[in-house]
């Protein structure tokens, strides 16, 4: 089992920045890819960014050019640095990890990000 706990969400003004953290614990050695997704009210969950164990990054359209995904292996933590935030970035942000062998996805409980003046 893998446990994921997100933190760092909150209320921020348009143009501001936030850094989300995803702390992983449990059997994380089989996780070969990490991701951030988000879900706004009334909308489907969408890709924000992913990073593989090899360090390859992929970004969804809303994040490209403004967000950066990174990971700290020593701390078992994945980060999402979000800059130039817009009201349309308001959503619950979820972290996930994909198991290399089973392809099972583990999800955190989510953290709320609200961009508003």
């Amino acid at each position: 089992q893998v446990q994921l706990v997100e933190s760092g969400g909150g209320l921020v003004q348009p143009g501001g920045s936030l850094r989300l953290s995803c702390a992983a614990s449990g059997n994380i050695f089989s996780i070969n890819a990490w991701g951030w997704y988000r879900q706004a009210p009334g909308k489907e969950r969408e890709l924000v960014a992913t990073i593989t164990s090899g360090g390859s990054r992929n970004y969804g359209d809303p994040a490209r050019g403004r967000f950066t995904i990174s990971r700290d292996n020593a701390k078992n933590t994945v980060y999402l640095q979000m800059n130039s935030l817009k009201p349309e970035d308001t959503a619950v942000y979820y972290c996930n990890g994909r198991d290399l062998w089973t392809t099972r996805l583990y999800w955190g409980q989510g953290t709320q990000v609200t961009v508003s003046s």
Side-chain angles (χ1 to χ4, degrees):
Q1 290 293 325
V2 174
Q3 295 78 42
L4 303 175
V5 179
E6 301 97 332
S7 62
L11 174 63
V12 63
Q13 293 187 344
S17 298
L18 279 177
R19 189 177 78 157
L20 305 183
S21 299
C22 173
S25 61
N27 187 24
I28 64 172
F29 299 104
S30 62
I31 302 298
N32 72 326
W34 304 90
W36 285 97
Y37 288 72
R38 69 185 188 185
Q39 188 166 19
K43 295 187 177 181
E44 294 186 354
R45 193 170 295 190
E46 64 176 347
L47 168 70
V48 177
T50 61
I51 185 168
T52 68
S53 56
S56 295
R57 295 172 171 84
N58 181 51
Y59 294 94
D61 288 341
R64 200 166 288 118
R66 297 187 298 129
F67 297 177
T68 302
I69 189 171
S70 63
R71 61 194 176 97
D72 185 331
N73 291 333
K75 296 182 178 180
N76 295 330
T77 301
V78 179
Y79 301 100
L80 183 68
Q81 177 67 43
M82 304 188 295
N83 299 326
S84 302
L85 283 163
K86 307 173 183 179
E88 51 264 45
D89 294 317
T90 296
V92 178
Y93 284 71
Y94 297 92
C95 171
N96 78 3
R98 185 185 67 197
D99 188 282
L100 170 64
W101 306 111
T102 68
T103 70
R104 176 179 176 178
L105 286 176
Y106 296 91
W107 292 91
Q109 82 289 349
T111 185
Q112 176 71 47
V113 172
T114 301
V115 184
S116 175
S117 57

